[in-house]
Amino acid sequence: MERIILLCMVCTCLSAVDAEKFFFSPKWGPIGFKEREAHGDGTAMDAIIKANEFHVTGIIDGTTSLREGDIAVTAGKRSKVCFARSCLWAKSVDGHVYVAYRLSPDYTEIETKLIKKGMEHVEKGTCVKFVARTHERDFIDIQPKSGCWSYLGARGGRQTVSLQTPDCLRIGVIAHEFMHVLGFVHEQSRFDRDNYVTVMWPNIWRDRLRNFEKFKTDNLDLPYDYGSIMHFGMYAYSQDGQPTIVPKNNKNIKLGQSSSLSRIDKLKINKLYNCGDADDN
């Protein structure tokens, strides 16, 4: 009998070790997140997925939900995709697009500097300028809510941008969310994306398939941008560690960006807002 008890205890210990390996192995994490160590540098969207899968449910409140992982959509409001110029921020007579913002006092001084650094990444080489709100009716209200998310384009009045601390306070994540603020969807949402990438549907978590939908977007006569700050990473929402998006012509092409807008991202901003030649200040 003692031998049987001892054998049972050994089996129990081994089962516990196996369970620990399963639950705490680096290859396991929130849905859709692959640890950077496994596949090199992650993208801004990888960091967003990691933060949002841990902290955010599909419904932000009773009427607002997240689409594509980080785009807030309110039931009954305009379509998620900005068509024509229906949701653009107003352009000033001096040629700049001023986006007023209010920053939560809950951010520390260092966190505030990081957010402003993200703004500078969007401003550099474009006609967009982020300005602290004084009396503007339309403005973004940047808050450390749960996860990283934004509404798409200018909605009118106050609109929330969530940058949770510390998970969302990375330059690339901040710039990514501000690109949504300006009206840009994810790059692989382009209606012509199937000419450039293959979506590996069997590798995607079934309840995240909607995050890979296509939309009739205005591509502004610009080429598909594999390296856009708005592109999903190759392993976004992978259920088994296998790629979910693969470039068609060159599988060695890196998808997405970790920290900076691409050259084409900046061209998109200037073309959408008809900026002409923007300075680099």
Side-chain angles (χ1 to χ4, degrees):
M1 179 62 70
E2 291 180 353
R3 290 183 178 180
I4 293 175
I5 295 174
L6 180 60
L7 181 61
C8 290
M9 291 177 63
V10 170
C11 290
T12 300
C13 291
L14 287 175
S15 297
V17 170
D18 289 339
E20 183 175 357
K21 287 181 179 178
F22 178 83
F23 287 112
F24 297 99
S25 170
K27 60 186 288 190
W28 294 95
I31 295 172
F33 176 74
K34 287 295 296 176
E35 289 289 352
R36 293 184 177 188
E37 291 79 9
H39 297 289
D41 290 339
T43 66
M45 193 62 201
D46 289 332
I48 291 168
I49 290 172
K50 183 179 181 182
N52 289 0
E53 293 293 339
F54 267 131
H55 301 294
V56 185
T57 63
I59 305 297
I60 298 173
D61 57 37
T63 59
T64 303
S65 60
L66 289 184
R67 303 286 177 84
E68 295 187 41
D70 70 331
I71 299 175
V73 183
T74 301
K77 293 289 186 179
R78 64 165 65 95
S79 170
K80 183 167 68 66
V81 177
C82 289
F83 291 104
R85 296 185 171 275
S86 61
C87 60
L88 300 189
W89 294 83
K91 188 176 179 182
S92 175
V93 292
D94 68 3
H96 287 100
V97 176
Y98 293 101
V99 178
Y101 69 88
R102 183 171 68 190
L103 203 57
S104 169
D106 293 333
Y107 289 115
T108 66
E109 182 179 352
I110 292 176
E111 291 166 346
T112 296
K113 287 181 179 178
L114 276 173
I115 293 171
K116 290 183 178 180
K117 193 71 174 177
M119 292 177 178
E120 291 171 6
H121 274 245
V122 177
E123 292 174 338
K124 187 174 177 61
T126 75
C127 62
V128 172
K129 303 293 179 187
F130 293 92
V131 294
R133 179 180 184 247
T134 53
H135 61 280
E136 292 83 358
R137 173 184 176 273
D138 301 337
F139 67 99
I140 56 175
D141 189 17
I142 305 170
Q143 296 283 340
K145 291 182 175 291
S146 294
C148 332
W149 49 265
S150 169
Y151 291 91
L152 195 70
R155 291 163 47 87
R158 180 183 70 85
Q159 62 188 73
T160 302
V161 176
S162 175
L163 294 173
Q164 180 180 348
T165 61
D167 301 24
C168 304
L169 293 186
R170 305 183 185 192
I171 299 299
V173 170
I174 296 165
H176 179 107
E177 296 306 331
F178 288 153
M179 286 287 284
H180 284 319
V181 167
L182 293 175
F184 294 98
V185 294
H186 297 119
E187 184 70 3
Q188 77 287 335
S189 296
R190 284 173 53 147
F191 71 90
D192 62 345
R193 64 107 184 274
D194 293 330
N195 296 329
Y196 305 98
V197 297
T198 300
V199 176
M200 311 299 287
W201 298 102
N203 298 340
I204 302 169
W205 280 95
R206 185 172 298 177
D207 60 351
R208 297 297 187 267
L209 292 174
R210 284 193 64 187
N211 291 343
F212 292 79
E213 291 179 346
K214 293 186 295 184
F215 297 93
K216 188 177 180 181
T217 53
D218 180 358
N219 297 330
L220 302 169
D221 295 321
L222 289 171
Y224 189 89
D225 188 10
Y226 295 101
S228 171
I229 193 77
M230 306 307 291
H231 206 300
F232 276 16
M234 187 175 289
Y235 298 88
Y237 298 104
S238 174
Q239 67 171 335
D240 54 7
Q242 297 302 309
T244 55
I245 307 178
V246 178
K248 280 189 177 294
N249 298 323
N250 185 349
K251 291 182 172 58
N252 293 322
I253 292 177
K254 184 182 183 298
L255 300 180
Q257 287 278 349
S258 60
S259 60
S260 301
L261 273 66
S262 70
R263 182 183 64 87
I264 296 178
D265 284 331
K266 292 179 180 291
L267 288 175
K268 286 177 193 170
I269 295 173
N270 289 335
K271 288 201 71 171
L272 183 63
Y273 284 92
N274 195 23
C275 294
D277 295 327
D279 58 37
D280 290 326
N281 298 323

